Amino acid sequence: MSRLANNPELLALDALIDRAGAHVMCDVVTHVDADGHRLPVWCLSLGNRSPSVPAVGFFGGVHGVERIGSQVLIAYLSHLVERLSWDATLHEQLRRIRLVFMPIVNPGGFLKGTRANPAGVDLMRHADIDAEVEAPWPLGGQRLSPALPWYRGPAGGVLQPEAEALYRVVRQRLFSHRVAISIDCHSGFGFRDRLWFPYAGRKTPLAHLAEIWSLRDLFQRTYPNHSFYLMEPQCLSYTTHGDLWDFLYEEAREQGHPPFLPLTLEMGSWLWMKKNPRQLLDPLGLFNPLLPHRHERVLRRHMTLFDFLQQAAVSWERWQPVGARRAAAQEAAMSAWFSPTS
Ligand SMILES: [Zn+2]
């Protein structure tokens, strides 16, 4: 147990589950073995399970070194659990939405202190989908060796248990609802907090480009002092093979599911290093804020966005672009993200 004690996120999630109470459904969706431990992968669900309401999914800890993503979700869940004990408005909201959380998708990576899972596979390069444009090697995903970073796993190999569990959760608990939004929390790239959307593996617009643009517009109008997010298709930063969200988005679209908008929050960790260069001396400093005041600031920084995504999902029909508004949103998004100069 001594090594588990060194993993504050695994312990914090256990403690949260202990006090979650009857309004939170806590399931182990798979187990992974790492360093002699059999670790649960947890999914926590709140709210109305009826397909007639929308759903929002929160994912974190896909990469074992990006602990801040899980910490942000555990802090947010903790906030919700506390409010469940007194806040009638939250109970009212949960009658109109389902919330699904997988705060630590890759607990084996957390235990071992690795980006990859215990088999050496980078889960965010692992989906069965190749980039349609050239992806930088090895960053974009490689099949040479699990000893190198960004290993995709063997071609045609079995799906890793963490990815299989994530697919199952998304298919059963998000695709089943009349509209679904997801956000997957990462860190380790750039000076700004980016909100990426598909595709990572191709440079063409997704079918819901107008909806994504309208969501961005809604957020900017509603929260004009939260301009620190940069929303863009992931391919504008870099392209990769095997992106889980590209794969799931395509599946939802091909199978005719209701709208599914998957977002990735890529927290701009280079800013934390710029402000505190000593972080470079700590292996986790590349991905996580280490100074206490900055850490606390990051934990509260995204709560407004998480609340907003729920409000937007519940109120989908009130802002979903249709007709001429949809055409205008499409045109604006094409010009911002897919013109030759963008
Ligand atoms: Zn990541």
Side-chain angles (χ1 to χ4, degrees):
M1 286 302 289
S2 59
R3 292 205 58 199
L4 278 185
N6 291 332
N7 283 266
E9 295 77 23
L10 297 179
L11 294 176
L13 184 56
D14 272 357
L16 178 71
I17 288 166
D18 281 347
R19 70 182 180 91
H23 293 289
V24 186
M25 187 174 87
C26 303
D27 302 310
V28 175
V29 287
T30 193
H31 283 95
V32 292
D33 295 316
D35 290 352
H37 294 282
R38 191 161 175 75
L39 301 171
V41 177
W42 285 99
C43 179
L44 285 69
S45 307
L46 299 83
N48 191 339
R49 294 165 69 175
S50 163
S52 65
V53 304
V56 177
F58 299 86
F59 300 84
V62 168
H63 292 135
V65 288
E66 299 169 15
R67 297 177 165 206
I68 188 66
S70 293
Q71 291 168 7
V72 162
L73 291 183
I74 291 168
Y76 186 68
L77 262 169
S78 183
H79 158 85
L80 291 180
V81 164
E82 204 53 49
R83 282 175 59 202
L84 281 170
S85 69
W86 62 269
D87 185 355
T89 66
L90 177 60
H91 286 279
E92 182 58 38
Q93 180 181 329
L94 290 174
R95 276 195 273 279
R96 304 177 66 172
I97 195 167
R98 183 181 205 184
L99 306 182
V100 176
F101 289 84
M102 279 181 81
I104 305 180
V105 171
N106 175 16
F110 273 68
L111 191 71
K112 296 170 76 71
T114 57
R115 173 183 171 91
N117 76 349
V121 172
D122 185 330
L123 298 169
M124 204 38 83
R125 305 289 185 273
H126 177 56
D128 187 17
I129 185 170
D130 288 333
E132 292 186 0
V133 292
E134 195 171 339
W137 194 93
L139 168 71
Q142 53 85 18
R143 294 202 194 273
L144 199 59
S145 165
L148 297 172
W150 305 297
Y151 179 58
R152 301 179 64 186
V158 293
L159 200 59
Q160 294 295 307
E162 301 89 343
E164 188 278 327
L166 185 145
Y167 284 2
R168 188 158 24 90
V169 165
V170 170
R171 287 166 180 155
Q172 293 178 353
R173 303 185 185 189
L174 296 184
F175 286 177
S176 50
H177 290 261
R178 71 178 166 86
V179 58
I181 301 175
S182 66
I183 184 158
D184 179 17
C185 302
H186 290 251
S187 59
F189 177 82
F191 289 103
R192 291 190 63 181
D193 291 335
R194 283 175 160 77
L195 280 172
W196 280 332
F197 56 87
Y199 296 102
R202 59 176 93 163
K203 295 193 170 182
T204 51
L206 77 174
H208 292 94
L209 187 71
E211 285 74 14
I212 291 277
W213 181 266
S214 300
L215 184 71
R216 171 183 177 273
D217 182 57
L218 192 67
F219 183 75
Q220 290 182 346
R221 282 190 283 124
T222 312
Y223 297 101
N225 302 314
H226 283 64
S227 57
F228 51 83
Y229 293 111
L230 175 62
M231 196 167 182
E232 61 184 17
Q234 187 188 326
C235 62
L236 291 190
S237 290
Y238 55 89
T239 50
T240 64
H241 299 290
D243 185 276
L244 295 174
W245 300 110
D246 276 15
F247 181 86
L248 286 165
Y249 176 75
E250 278 301 281
E251 179 178 292
R253 196 181 59 79
E254 284 169 8
Q255 295 184 357
H257 290 294
F260 169 53
L261 309 181
L263 306 176
T264 298
L265 169 60
E266 183 72 33
M267 288 178 256
S269 58
W270 298 355
L271 191 65
W272 310 329
M273 285 188 280
K274 187 176 158 191
K275 292 188 171 176
N276 178 31
R278 278 178 301 169
Q279 292 208 178
L280 285 167
L281 302 175
D282 185 319
L284 292 174
L286 295 171
F287 307 98
N288 303 284
L290 299 183
L291 293 179
H293 70 278
R294 188 159 299 120
H295 182 249
E296 187 177 88
R297 197 181 303 154
V298 174
L299 291 187
R300 67 174 182 257
R301 183 178 174 93
H302 305 292
M303 289 201 172
T304 303
L305 174 69
F306 295 165
D307 286 339
F308 166 78
L309 293 177
Q310 296 164 57
Q311 294 149 5
V314 167
S315 306
W316 169 255
E317 283 76 14
R318 289 173 178 257
W319 61 270
Q320 176 192 21
V322 291
R325 276 182 45 236
R326 189 173 199 281
Q330 179 80 16
E331 191 180 329
M334 287 301 292
S335 141
W337 291 321
F338 293 96
S339 72
T341 54
S342 65

